[in-house]
C-alpha cells in the first residue's frame, strides 16, 4: 500500500534550474539567500507586465491553464472602470493527495512566489495581498517570509499582506472557495459562479492565480522574455513543476523544461519500464495507456493531443500487476467524499458514480457500465465548481484507457489482479461529506439533529424537495422521492426547513432526532435507465 506523500518530497531538476535555483544550497531560501541566488527585482508597469506574460505564453499552473496576461488586463480594466483598488491572491492550496509542487515552492522558495505577487500588486496599484494555504508547513513558511520582508496586515501598511489557512479539502482549492473564505465565509464555492477578476475579495476585482504561476512570472521578469524562451518549447517556453508518485521508487517533485519526453521523467523517479498506464494531471486528470506514454512529451498541448492532461502537474504511473479499475475506484470514492455537499449532481452523483465503478468490479456486467457512463455524463457542467467535471473526466478516462481490463470485468470474471493501492490518498481516513470547515461553527459539523419525513398520502411528485434539498432527496423514475425519511445534515437544516415550507402538497415534515446516533442517509443506488436518474440530480446551482 502506497503511503501518503510527505509535504516536501525529494526535488530533482532536468537541465538548469530556474524555480528551484538554490535548492542544492539550503533547505529554505530566506530573504538574504533568495536575493543572493536570484538577485533584486525591479518593478514593472501593468501593460509591460502583461506584455511579458503574453510573450512567454504564461498560463495558470493550477490546472485550468488560463492565460495570465488576459487575467491581468481584465482585473486592471475592471479596477479602472469601477474606480476601486484591486486585490491580489496567491492560491497555494494544494489539497490533492498526489500534488506537492506548490507545497515544495512555498516551503523552500516562498520569496520567489512573493516576488511575483508583489510585482503584480504594484503594477495594479493593489493594497491587499492574501496567500491561501491549507497546510501547517506552508502557513509557517509563508508567514515567516512575510515577516522577513516586514509585511503585515496592519491598517496603516502600504500593502496589507496576510496568510489565509483553510482546511485540506479538494474544493477549498477552487478560486471561488478561496475568495469566499477570505471574506469570512466557509471555504466552499458559492452557489452562483462569479469571476474573481470582476467581483472577488470584498467585491473588488481580484487577480487570483496559482503559486507556481507567480514564481514563473518572477523568473521571467528577472531574465526577460527572450532568455526565458530559450528554455523549453517555442510555444510553451520555460519549465514546469511535476509531482511524480504512484508506482515509483522515489516520489519526487521535478522541475523540467517543456518538451522533455514523459518516459524520461518516469525513469528519473524509478517508474516501471513499461507501466500499465499513467495518470496525468492528477485526480481531475486523464489516463494514458502504456503505448501512448512513449509518444507523450511534457507540455500542455502535447498531453492534450494524446489524450492526457497537464493539469496541476501530477504524474502517476501504475504497475502491470495491479487492477487499474480497482485503483480508480479508490480515487473515485475519495473524490465523492470531497464534495462540498451543496450541489445535487456532485453530492449525489459522485457517490453514485463510485458505486457504479464498484458494481462493474463486482460483476454488474454491461448494465453497470452503462449506469456509470450515464451518471458521469449527468454530473458535468452542473455544479458550483469544477469538482464534478474533473471527477467525471477521470472516470470517463478510466473506462476509455483500460478497455481490456474493462472487458474482463464486464464480460468475464474480472482481470484476476489485486488492488495494490499505489495511488496515494491521505492517511487517517476521509472526512465526512459536508461543508469542510473554513469558518463553519463546530456544531454544524456534527451528527444530524433533525429528520425529514415524506407523507405519501399527500405527496404529488412536484419534485421541489430534490431541488431545494439534494443532500437528502433524489427522485425516482416515477418522479417521486426515493426515501421516506432521512437525517438532515446540520449545515442543511435551513434548506430542509425551506423545503418543508415550499412543498406545494404540504407533504414534508421535520422532527427532532432524539436518538443517540442518527441513521445514515438512505441514498439510492445506481439504477439502469435514464428518465428518473437525470431528473433526480436536480439543479446543482
Amino acid at each position: 500500500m502506497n503511503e501518503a506523500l510527505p509535504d516536501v518530497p525529494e526535488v530533482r531538476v532536468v537541465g538548469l534550474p530556474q524555480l528551484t535555483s538554490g535548492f542544492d544550497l539550503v533547505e529554505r531560501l530566506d530573504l538574504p539567500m533568495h536575493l543572493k541566488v536570484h538577485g533584486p527585482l525591479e518593478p514593472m508597469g501593468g501593460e509591460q507586465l502583461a506584455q511579458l506574460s503574453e510573450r512567454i505564453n504564461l498560463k495558470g499552473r493550477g490546472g485550468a491553464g488560463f492565460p495570465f496576461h488576459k487575467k491581468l488586463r481584465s482585473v486592471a480594466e475592471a479596477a479602472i472602470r469601477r474606480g476601486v483598488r484591486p486585490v491580489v491572491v496567491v492560491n497555494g492550496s494544494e489539497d490533492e493527495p498526489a500534488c506537492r509542487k506548490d507545497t515544495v515552492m512555498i516551503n523552500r522558495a516562498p520569496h520567489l512566489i512573493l516576488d511575483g505577487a508583489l510585482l503584480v500588486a504594484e503594477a495594479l496599484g493593489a493594497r491587499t495581498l492574501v496567500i491561501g494555504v491549507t497546510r501547517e508547513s506552508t502557513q509557517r513558511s509563508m508567514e515567516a517570509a512575510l515577516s522577513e520582508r516586514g509585511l503585515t496586515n496592519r491598517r496603516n501598511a502600504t500593502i496589507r499582506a496576510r496568510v489565509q489557512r483553510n482546511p485540506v479539502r479538494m474544493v477549498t482549492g477552487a478560486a471561488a472557495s478561496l475568495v469566499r473564505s477570505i471574506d469570512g465565509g466557509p471555504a466552499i464555492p458559492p452557489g452562483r459562479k462569479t469571476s474573481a477578476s470582476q467581483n472577488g475579495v470584498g467585491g473588488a476585482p481580484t487577480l487570483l492565480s496559482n503559486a507556481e504561476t507567480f514564481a514563473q512570472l518572477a523568473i521571467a521578469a528577472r531574465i526577460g522574455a527572450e532568455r526565458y524562451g530559450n528554455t523549453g518549447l517555442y510555444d510553451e517556453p520555460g519549465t514546469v513543476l511535476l509531482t511524480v508518485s504512484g508506482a515509483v521508487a522515489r516520489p519526487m517533485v521535478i522541475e523540467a523544461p517543456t518538451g522533455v519526453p514523459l518516459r524520461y521523467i518516469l525513469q528519473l523517479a524509478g517508474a516501471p519500464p513499461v507501466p500499465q498506464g499513467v495518470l496525468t494531471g492528477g485526480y481531475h486528470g486523464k489516463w494514458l495507456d502504456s503505448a501512448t506514454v512513449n509518444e507523450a512529451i511534457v507540455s500542455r498541448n502535447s498531453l492534450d493531443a494524446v489524450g492526457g492532461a497537464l493539469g496541476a502537474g501530477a504524474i502517476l504511473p501504475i504497475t502491470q500487476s495491479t487492477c487499474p479499475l480497482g485503483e480508480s475506484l479508490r480515487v473515485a470514492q475519495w473524490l465523492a467524499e470531497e464534495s462540498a455537499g451543496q450541489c445535487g449532481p456532485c453530492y449525489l452523483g459522485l457517490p453514485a458514480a463510485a458505486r457504479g465503478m464498484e458494481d462493474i468490479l463486482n460483476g454488474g456486467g454491461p448494465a453497470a457500465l452503462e449506469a456509470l457512463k450515464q451518471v458521469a455524463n449527468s454530473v458535468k457542467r452542473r455544479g458550483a465548481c469544477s469538482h464534478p467535471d474533473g471527477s467525471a473526466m477521470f472516470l470517463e478516462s478510466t473506462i476509455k484507457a483500460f478497455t481490456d481490463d474493462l472487458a474482463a470485468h464486464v464480460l468475464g470474471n474480472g482481470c484476476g489482479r489485486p488492488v495494490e493501492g499505489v495511488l496515494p490518498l491521505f492517511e487517517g481516513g476521509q472526512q465526512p461529506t459536508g461543508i469542510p470547515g473554513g469558518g463553519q461553527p463546530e456544531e454544524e459539523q456534527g451528527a444530524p439533529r433533525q429528520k425529514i419525513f415524506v407523507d405519501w398520502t399527500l405527496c404529488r411528485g412536484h419534485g421541489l424537495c430534490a431541488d431545494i434539498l439534494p443532500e437528502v432527496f433524489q427522485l425516482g423514475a416515477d418522479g417521486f422521492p426515493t426515501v421516506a425519511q432521512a437525517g438532515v445534515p446540520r449545515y442543511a437544516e435551513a434548506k430542509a426547513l425551506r423545503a418543508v415550507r415550499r412543498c406545494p402538497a404540504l407533504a414534508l415534515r421535520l422532527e427532532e432526532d432524539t436518538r443517540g446516533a442518527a441513521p445514515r442517509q438512505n441514498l439510492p443506488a445506481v439504477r439502469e435507465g435514464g428518465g428518473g436518474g437525470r431528473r433526480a440530480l436536480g439543479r446543482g446551482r
Side-chain angles (χ1 to χ4, degrees):
M1 187 73 68
N2 197 6
E3 297 180 357
L5 295 177
D7 272 13
V8 184
E10 178 185 353
V11 178
R12 300 287 295 273
V13 182
V14 177
L16 296 176
Q18 290 188 354
L19 300 175
T20 59
S21 294
F23 280 23
D24 57 332
L25 303 175
V26 292
E27 282 299 308
R28 179 183 180 275
L29 280 73
D30 59 13
L31 185 56
M33 180 58 73
H34 167 74
L35 293 174
K36 286 181 182 178
V37 170
H38 292 285
L41 181 61
E42 297 296 325
M44 301 174 67
E47 182 56 31
Q48 185 183 9
L49 200 58
Q51 290 177 3
L52 171 66
S53 305
E54 189 171 9
R55 286 185 63 190
I56 66 172
N57 195 20
L58 180 61
K59 294 182 178 179
R61 301 300 176 91
F66 190 81
F68 189 81
H69 70 92
K70 292 184 178 180
K71 186 180 295 187
L72 185 63
R73 289 191 172 108
S74 176
V75 172
E77 290 167 2
I80 293 171
R81 184 176 63 251
R82 294 171 52 188
V84 298
R85 288 193 180 274
V87 175
V88 175
V89 175
V90 177
N91 193 348
S93 309
E94 199 166 41
D95 309 313
E96 197 172 317
C99 293
R100 289 296 185 276
K101 67 179 183 68
D102 293 321
T103 302
V104 164
M105 286 300 298
I106 295 174
N107 274 285
R108 301 197 61 180
H111 289 285
L112 197 60
I113 298 166
L114 287 178
D115 276 348
L118 292 170
L119 194 67
V120 171
E122 186 164 353
L124 291 174
R127 293 292 178 265
T128 302
L129 169 63
V130 183
I131 302 96
V133 300
T134 52
R135 301 174 187 274
E136 183 180 352
S137 64
T138 49
Q139 180 182 7
R140 287 198 309 264
S141 180
M142 192 53 77
E143 286 179 344
L146 293 179
S147 178
E148 289 164 8
R149 288 179 180 247
L151 294 172
T152 70
N153 194 34
R154 295 173 183 166
R155 291 184 179 275
N156 59 350
T158 304
I159 180 168
R160 298 181 63 179
R162 68 180 180 89
V163 175
Q164 171 72 27
R165 171 89 178 271
N166 287 328
V168 180
R169 293 296 301 272
M170 189 74 164
V171 295
T172 63
S177 301
L178 181 52
V179 168
R180 193 176 184 187
S181 70
I182 292 170
D183 283 337
I188 59 173
R192 182 169 58 90
K193 291 183 178 180
T194 59
S195 168
S197 298
Q198 304 298 314
N199 186 15
V201 175
T206 299
L207 193 145
L208 187 152
S209 199
N210 168 262
E212 184 195 340
T213 313
F214 285 107
Q216 293 282 2
L217 184 65
I219 292 292
R222 279 186 167 89
I223 66 178
E226 184 175 354
R227 184 178 163 194
Y228 187 93
N230 289 336
T231 300
L233 299 171
Y234 174 77
D235 58 342
E236 292 183 54
T239 64
V240 294
L241 289 177
L242 305 170
T243 310
V244 187
S245 63
V248 297
R250 301 177 306 281
M252 60 180 61
V253 169
I254 300 175
E255 182 182 13
T258 55
V260 171
L262 179 59
R263 64 177 181 275
Y264 181 76
I265 297 296
L266 295 172
Q267 290 170 3
L268 195 63
V274 184
Q276 182 176 189
V278 177
L279 181 59
T280 59
Y283 296 160
H284 277 178
K286 298 180 180 180
W287 286 100
L288 297 180
D289 59 34
S290 57
T292 308
V293 168
N294 290 327
E295 305 172 15
I297 63 174
V298 176
S299 82
R300 188 175 302 277
N301 291 338
S302 170
L303 289 172
D304 287 344
V306 297
L310 180 61
I315 306 294
L316 301 104
I318 60 172
T319 64
Q320 297 282 352
S321 60
T322 190
C323 173
L325 301 186
E327 294 286 348
S328 297
L329 172 61
R330 294 177 64 247
V331 175
Q333 291 170 334
W334 178 79
L335 290 169
E337 287 291 333
E338 290 299 294
S339 169
Q342 60 179 357
C343 301
C346 182
Y347 180 79
L348 298 174
L350 295 188
R355 290 195 298 270
M357 180 68 77
E358 188 172 16
D359 287 345
I360 291 174
L361 291 168
N362 290 335
L369 176 59
E370 288 305 312
L372 172 60
K373 290 180 178 179
Q374 179 187 350
V375 173
N377 184 63
S378 67
V379 303
K380 292 186 291 188
R381 297 178 296 279
R382 301 178 66 200
C385 69
S386 61
H387 182 54
D389 300 307
S391 302
M393 182 169 68
F394 167 78
L395 288 166
E396 289 174 338
S397 173
T398 300
I399 60 179
K400 181 179 179 181
F402 302 107
T403 53
D404 291 345
D405 292 88
L406 187 65
H409 283 283
V410 171
L411 303 177
N413 296 321
C415 66
R417 286 174 288 189
V419 179
E420 298 175 346
V422 297
L423 300 181
L425 295 172
F426 288 128
E427 293 178 333
Q430 310 304 322
Q431 299 182 41
T433 299
I435 291 183
Q440 286 298 100
E442 289 184 5
E443 62 269 16
E444 294 191 8
Q445 300 180 26
R449 297 177 296 192
Q450 296 179 338
K451 292 187 71 175
I452 192 166
F453 296 82
V454 178
D455 186 333
W456 295 116
T457 65
L458 298 176
C459 181
R460 295 294 178 266
H462 294 96
L464 282 179
C465 57
D467 285 341
I468 297 173
L469 194 60
E471 293 88 346
V472 172
F473 291 114
Q474 187 176 17
L475 303 183
D478 57 2
F480 286 83
T482 57
V483 296
Q485 62 184 33
V488 177
R490 293 195 182 190
Y491 68 85
E493 288 177 354
K495 290 200 290 183
L497 182 60
R498 188 159 65 249
V500 170
R501 290 174 174 174
R502 292 187 180 181
C503 177
L506 303 178
L508 301 177
R509 75 178 190 276
L510 275 174
E511 292 184 5
E512 293 297 320
D513 190 351
T514 57
R515 292 182 300 173
R520 291 177 59 90
Q521 293 180 14
N522 184 18
L523 297 181
V526 180
R527 292 190 300 274
E528 185 180 2
R534 300 180 76 90
R535 186 181 175 193
L537 292 173
R539 293 189 296 272
R541 300 185 187 182

